[in-house]
Amino acid sequence: MAKRKIGAKKTTGWKATISVAMANYIEAGSIIAAASSLTLWQAYLHIDNIGVGLLSALSANAFGAAIGALLGGPLTDKFGRKFIFTYDLLVYMFGVLLIAVSFNFPMLLFGTVVTGIAVGAGVPVSWTYIAEESPTHKRAAHVGTAQLAWSFGPALTFLLAVLAAPLGLLGSRLIFAHLFFVAFITWYIRQGLDESKMWEEQKQQDEEDRLLGKQKHGSFKELFTLKVNRQALFLLIGIYLFWNLTAGAMGYFMPYIYENVGGLSSGQANMLQVVLWSFTVLTTYFLFMKFGDSFSRKAMFAIGAGMGIVAWLILTFMPMTWPTLIIFVFLWGSAAGIGAQAFYALWTSELFPTRYRASAQGTMYFIVRTGIAIWSFILPTLMNTLGFKAAGIVMIIFLTIHMVIGIALAPKTMGKSLREIEEERYGKRKGPAKVIKNAN
């Protein structure tokens, strides 16, 4: 396992949670930095629709992140949560620096792919680590920190895009440079993190079983062979994929839609997104983090899902005027704080055993981001040929599917430790559990 570097200050408690949650700020910031500058790069490098589709499909918003998650999950379970925290952001910094200094399309595309892979490797393990180190009765509050960071990323990055707009493409380069420095500070703080106690205990148990010649339990193939896992996959992929086919497209294309469909300026489009994500920050903190450990999670999920559908019905079937846009950003922004991503981060850490918790997350993240990659590649052409209303109707269908699955299959895990949930779902296995119980 990874050792703390000599001289590095120990990082614990909420400081540890926040440093790990910053993976979500970095992910969202990367997506928004690219989205807010898409038209600038398109004009500067004369990128056609195919090139725009490639940038989106291979980005931190889609297939680049999918590949990173598929690689990062198994590495996390094999070498430890801290292993990813030690090296992942170094790769990320290289990627965003490459984008910041790009002067041709291949350079921009390669930087986008590297950044996406680093993001994909880092985000699932951040949810895993936070959940494993959180107190049982404050797990939603701690996991919600990741959602809060993810919400701050777009809010602040879009605000920076507005402030940097007079600088043109130079402003975009500076935004990517700011992500480089945020990543460096986060990486430095993370060097003081301890390894997950649950992971260490699991490795100790695995080693004892090996020495005693016991049959190995909990292999990754169980993810698909056990009924309880297939049910969890259906729930988690169902809510996260179908919600993200809308939300992921919004993350990359919403300023493009505001400008090309609504006729807004780049500054107006970015400012709308600042307001939208500010509502997400507020509902994440005051609703999900404050009440996610005490209020009905199914009810909270249903409210958020319903608000999201109403928001897209308004945007799709009403003229894109200022009153319409303001209602839309309020509804969607508020819904996102208590929506699929927050609950996915929580449930995906609760519903799988420690042995392959990160691998399961990496696999699901790969499937979801691959879906977004395909949809992101198709979406620009769909809007250009059939119009925005057709795309909006498809988005509403996606959101409706995710709401039905989430309400029907929401698990009852509130107030239970991860060990208790694991024993309920997989049966009790012999072995020392004192470290796990103390940690959770």
Side-chain angles (χ1 to χ4, degrees):
M1 76 188 67
K3 303 289 186 182
R4 186 184 304 121
K5 291 186 176 182
I6 296 175
K9 189 175 181 180
K10 189 173 182 179
T11 305
T12 59
W14 275 104
K15 185 178 179 182
T17 297
I18 292 169
S19 71
V20 174
M22 284 302 291
N24 293 266
Y25 175 91
I26 288 166
E27 177 203 19
S30 304
I31 295 169
I32 303 312
S36 62
S37 61
L38 184 58
T39 54
L40 295 173
W41 286 109
Q42 189 175 16
Y44 171 62
L45 298 175
H46 308 290
I47 305 171
D48 59 17
N49 285 337
I50 299 296
V52 171
L54 278 173
L55 285 173
S56 175
L58 298 176
S59 69
N61 192 44
F63 196 63
I67 294 296
L70 196 63
L71 296 172
L75 290 174
T76 300
D77 285 330
K78 183 174 182 179
F79 298 109
R81 292 27 174 157
K82 188 171 167 58
F83 174 83
I84 297 296
F85 297 145
T86 301
Y87 300 107
D88 177 58
L89 288 183
L90 297 177
V91 178
Y92 175 85
M93 284 186 276
F94 172 73
V96 291
L97 185 62
L98 194 60
I99 295 173
V101 299
S102 289
F103 54 83
N104 58 43
F105 180 72
M107 195 174 179
L108 177 64
L109 184 63
F110 183 65
T112 297
V113 172
V114 171
T115 301
I117 290 173
V119 162
V123 171
V125 69
S126 73
W127 295 333
T128 296
Y129 185 90
I130 291 171
E132 289 178 347
E133 293 293 289
S134 297
T136 296
H137 297 287
K138 291 185 178 180
R139 192 159 55 242
H142 280 255
V143 173
T145 306
Q147 174 70 3
L148 189 67
W150 199 88
S151 306
F152 266 116
L156 295 180
T157 306
F158 272 122
L159 181 59
L160 289 174
V162 172
L163 297 175
L167 299 176
L169 190 59
L170 175 61
S172 173
R173 296 181 189 275
L174 292 175
I175 291 171
F176 279 104
H178 119 272
L179 290 171
F180 175 90
F181 288 109
V182 169
F184 176 78
I185 294 170
T186 302
W187 173 82
Y188 178 77
I189 295 173
R190 285 181 179 181
Q191 302 316 295
L193 288 171
D194 285 325
E195 181 56 82
S196 162
K197 295 179 180 65
M198 291 192 74
W199 182 82
E200 288 185 322
E201 177 65 20
Q202 186 63 67
K203 284 298 179 182
Q204 177 187 342
Q205 181 62 55
D206 289 345
E207 180 61 18
E208 290 180 6
D209 289 347
R210 186 186 68 81
L211 292 175
L212 293 173
K214 292 183 179 179
Q215 183 179 358
K216 186 177 180 181
H217 295 287
S219 64
F220 179 66
K221 68 179 181 180
E222 287 185 355
L223 187 61
F224 304 100
T225 58
L226 291 183
K227 182 179 179 181
V228 67
N229 282 339
R230 293 197 299 270
Q231 291 172 337
L233 289 172
F234 185 78
L235 163 66
L236 294 166
I237 294 175
I239 64 169
Y240 200 48
L241 172 61
F242 287 103
W243 179 80
N244 244 306
L245 289 174
T246 297
M250 282 183 63
Y252 204 90
F253 287 111
M254 209 62 210
Y256 184 86
I257 291 171
Y258 288 147
E259 294 171 36
N260 291 276
V261 180
L264 275 61
S265 68
S266 176
Q268 290 171 330
N270 289 336
M271 202 63 215
L272 264 182
Q273 292 297 86
V274 173
V275 175
L276 185 152
W277 285 105
S278 296
F279 282 122
T280 305
V281 169
L282 293 173
T283 54
T284 298
Y285 182 76
F286 288 106
L287 294 180
F288 187 81
M289 293 178 67
K290 294 294 186 181
F291 298 103
D293 291 300
S294 58
F295 184 74
S296 169
R297 292 175 176 175
K298 179 182 287 192
M300 188 180 290
F301 175 88
I303 292 168
M307 289 173 65
I309 291 172
V310 172
W312 268 90
L313 284 168
I314 291 172
L315 189 70
T316 301
F317 294 105
M318 294 182 68
M320 204 174 285
T321 61
W322 277 110
T324 301
L325 291 172
I326 291 171
I327 294 171
F328 171 77
V329 300
F330 168 74
L331 287 173
W332 181 266
S334 300
I338 54 173
Q341 174 139 318
F343 281 102
Y344 172 83
L346 180 63
W347 290 337
T348 196
S349 297
E350 292 179 335
L351 298 183
F352 298 101
T354 305
R355 281 184 175 88
Y356 50 84
R357 181 173 287 126
S359 296
Q361 289 198 45
T363 301
M364 290 186 292
Y365 204 76
F366 172 81
I367 293 170
V368 170
R369 292 296 173 175
T370 300
I372 297 172
I374 296 169
W375 177 234
S376 297
F377 187 75
I378 294 171
L379 185 58
T381 304
L382 176 65
M383 287 193 294
N384 287 334
T385 55
L386 299 180
F388 172 71
K389 182 173 287 189
I393 291 171
V394 176
M395 303 282 201
I396 293 166
I397 293 171
F398 290 154
L399 292 174
T400 302
I401 294 171
H402 113 277
M403 180 177 71
V404 171
I405 293 173
I407 293 174
L409 299 177
K412 296 179 180 179
T413 52
M414 187 168 60
K416 302 174 183 177
S417 71
L418 294 184
R419 166 60 68 181
E420 290 169 336
I421 296 169
E422 184 172 333
E423 289 180 352
E424 280 184 7
R425 293 172 60 78
Y426 300 93
K428 190 171 183 178
R429 289 170 179 160
K430 295 181 179 180
K434 59 182 180 297
V435 176
I436 295 178
K437 289 179 179 176
N438 291 337
N440 218 279

